[in-house]
């Protein structure tokens, strides 16, 4: 992999990740852009104890542009975009409309391919491996920023999810705090360790799923994928490396080599869940990595956290979505219409031939 760092016309950082060592990335951004002006603010809710990012400048972000005006496509034929090069492998840049900025964190966009009409599932193993390298490199870089306490790599796919740009891409958030979902995991893990004289909750969850077997979707030599026992979403898969590590930086070469095969197969199965002729399945794909800093006045024990990826869709059946209504939105109590065992069985049925 070759990494090249440059700047866009308004000063934002742009990075190219290339599979070729001889790639040259010296195309200048010729757009007459004004400096980026953001108004991100993190406010804490005294009742719930969580945080809300207020970012009014995001009201002006680009919304469902036609394909020939996509800002994530390469710059070609006189049309200038966020990526000045006429082609690229993987590109990462600072978001022009960030939810978090400055002392409030950082937001980046990750373009998986220059092909506007592709999806992550269409990538080759080599392309997916390069994206993994980019995620890992960005995790390492953002972890060094003093204001960042957690690095979150994710992809939103599909208009139903709320995606406003159709080009295959994801995002990376560098949060200035530990997110509520991760706090809950850490507290559960601490309680488990205390109750079991030092046991690891993440290891126990994976071991129980392997022993039960009914919710296992895929097994590799270095990764295992399963629908969790208490899945929140109609079709939800958790992908864990068999060797527990706190974040992407600590995956060994064997796990890195096998990841593209496992992940691409999962994404392709997701697109087959509802049968032939159905539109692509909308999904969220989220990496959970160990945070930094303190929780409840104590330093987080990062070595006890388990890196894993959670992949889920809000579509519960053909043409119907799972809406977060009264119980989910009002009380954060999920009601799942699809038994996890049935979801796992369906995901096994649609395996590639």
């Amino acid at each position: 992999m070759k990494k090249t760092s440059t700047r866009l016309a308004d000063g934002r950082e742009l990075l190219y990740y290339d599979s070729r060592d001889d790639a040259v990335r010296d195309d200048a951004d010729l757009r007459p852009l004004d400096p980026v002006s953001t108004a991100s603010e993190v406010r804490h809710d005294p009742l719930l104890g969580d945080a809300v990012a207020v970012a009014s400048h995001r009201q002006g972000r680009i919304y469902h542009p036609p394909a020939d005006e996509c800002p994530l496509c390469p710059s070609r034929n006189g049309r200038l975009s966020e990526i000045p090069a006429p082609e690229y492998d993987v590109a990462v840049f600072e978001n022009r409309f960030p939810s978090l900025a400055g002392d409030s964190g950082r937001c980046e966009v990750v373009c998986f391919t220059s092909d506007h009409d592709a999806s992550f599932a269409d990538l080759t193993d080599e392309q997916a491996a390069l994206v993994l390298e980019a995620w890992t490199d960005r995790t390492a870089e953002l972890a060094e920023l003093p204001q960042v306490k957690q690095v979150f790599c994710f992809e939103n796919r599909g208009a139903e999810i709320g995606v406003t740009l159709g080009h295959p891409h994801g995002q990376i958030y560098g949060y200035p705090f530990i997110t509520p979902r991760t706090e809950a995991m850490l507290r559960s893990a601490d309680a488990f360790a205390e109750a079991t004289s030092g046991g690891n909750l993440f290891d126990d969850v994976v071991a129980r799923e392997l022993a039960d077997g009914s919710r296992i979707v895929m097994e590799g030599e270095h990764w295992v994928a399963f629908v969790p026992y208490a899945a929140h979403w109609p079709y939800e898969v958790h992908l864990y490396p068999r060797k527990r590590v706190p974040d992407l930086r600590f995956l060994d070469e064997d796990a890195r080599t096998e990841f593209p095969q496992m992940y691409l197969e999962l994404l392709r199965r997701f697109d087959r869940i509802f049968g032939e002729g159905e539109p692509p399945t909308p999904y969220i794909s989220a990496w959970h990595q160990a945070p930094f800093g303190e929780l409840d006045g104590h330093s987080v024990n990062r070595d006890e956290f388990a890196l894993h990826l959670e992949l889920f869709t809000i579509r519960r059946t053909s043409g119907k979505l799972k809406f977060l209504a009264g119980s989910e939105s009002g009380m954060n109590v999920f009601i799942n219409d699809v038994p996890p065992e049935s979801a796992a069985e369906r995901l096994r049925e649609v395996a590639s031939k």
Side-chain angles (χ1 to χ4, degrees):
M1 180 196 77
K2 180 181 180 182
K3 172 185 172 183
T4 305
S5 177
T6 183
R7 293 280 171 180
L8 295 171
D10 54 12
R12 287 175 296 134
E13 187 176 18
L14 166 66
L15 302 119
Y16 294 99
Y17 294 87
D18 286 289
S19 57
R20 307 185 325 273
D21 291 336
D22 60 349
V24 176
R25 298 299 183 186
D26 56 4
D27 298 277
D29 183 5
L30 302 178
R31 297 172 298 169
L33 297 180
D34 294 327
V36 173
S37 176
T38 62
S40 297
E41 178 187 359
V42 175
R43 298 186 180 184
H44 292 273
D45 185 325
L47 292 180
L48 297 180
D50 59 7
V52 176
V54 180
S56 59
H57 61 275
R58 285 175 55 79
Q59 287 281 30
R61 67 188 186 273
I62 298 171
Y63 186 81
H64 292 298
D68 61 356
E69 297 178 15
C70 174
L72 306 185
C73 286
S75 295
R76 292 175 181 162
N77 303 320
R79 193 186 72 81
L80 305 178
S81 74
E82 289 280 66
I83 297 98
E87 52 78 28
Y88 62 84
D89 290 346
V90 175
V92 178
F93 59 87
E94 290 183 76
N95 198 323
R96 192 177 181 189
F97 301 96
S99 303
L100 307 164
D103 292 340
S104 296
R106 178 162 164 136
C107 293
E108 299 180 342
V109 177
V110 183
C111 299
F112 304 137
T113 171
S114 59
D115 185 351
H116 180 87
D117 298 317
S119 69
F120 202 117
D122 296 323
L123 301 183
T124 64
D125 285 4
E126 292 74 19
Q127 288 174 305
L130 186 60
V131 175
L132 178 61
E133 289 298 315
W135 283 330
T136 303
D137 180 75
R138 299 317 301 148
T139 295
E141 295 255 338
L142 296 183
E144 296 299 317
L145 298 180
Q147 69 269 36
V148 171
K149 304 303 180 187
Q150 184 171 344
V151 180
F152 178 44
C153 307
F154 65 100
E155 180 191 2
N156 298 326
R157 189 267 191 107
E160 299 95 327
I161 297 293
V163 174
T164 57
L165 296 175
H167 195 104
H169 73 288
Q171 298 182 66
I172 302 175
Y173 278 18
Y175 291 105
F177 50 80
I178 300 175
T179 62
R181 186 174 178 86
T182 303
E183 281 194 2
M185 289 184 191
L186 291 170
R187 291 197 173 97
S188 294
D190 285 346
F192 183 86
E194 184 175 351
T196 58
S197 301
N200 184 278
L201 177 58
F202 298 98
D203 292 350
D204 184 75
V205 166
V206 175
R208 285 175 179 268
E209 293 294 352
L210 286 169
D212 181 281
S214 64
R215 291 176 296 277
I216 296 294
V217 175
M218 293 174 61
E219 285 193 69
E221 185 177 353
H222 304 284
W223 295 83
V224 59
F226 57 87
V227 177
Y229 172 76
H232 288 57
W233 299 96
Y235 292 90
E236 175 181 342
V237 175
H238 293 190
L239 177 63
Y240 277 76
R242 291 184 184 269
K243 178 181 178 182
R244 173 166 43 90
V245 296
D247 64 46
L248 290 164
R249 296 174 295 175
F250 294 91
L251 288 174
D252 61 27
E253 286 305 310
D254 289 335
R256 291 183 181 281
T257 298
E258 188 179 71
F259 171 77
Q261 306 158 31
M262 295 285 291
Y263 185 51
L264 291 173
E265 172 64 12
L266 279 178
L267 293 180
R268 290 160 187 167
R269 291 190 192 189
F270 257 57
D271 275 343
R272 301 187 194 114
I273 292 173
F274 304 106
E276 293 185 10
E278 291 290 326
T281 300
Y283 65 74
I284 292 175
S285 177
W287 279 109
H288 291 264
Q289 307 195 78
F292 314 96
E294 295 186 347
L295 178 66
D296 299 331
H298 302 284
S299 295
V300 171
N301 188 346
R302 302 187 75 251
D303 290 338
E304 293 300 308
F305 193 90
L307 167 76
H308 63 284
L309 183 144
E310 298 185 7
L311 173 69
F312 61 90
T313 180
I314 61 171
R315 186 178 293 164
R316 56 187 175 87
T317 190
S318 179
K320 297 179 181 179
L321 301 181
K322 166 63 179 176
F323 291 104
L324 300 189
S327 185
E328 291 88 356
S329 295
M331 284 292 147
N332 201 27
V333 177
F334 277 68
I335 300 169
N336 192 350
D337 303 301
V338 180
E341 293 75 17
S342 299
E345 182 179 10
R346 179 56 181 160
L347 285 162
R348 292 192 296 265
E349 289 175 350
V350 294
S352 298
K353 304 300 182 183

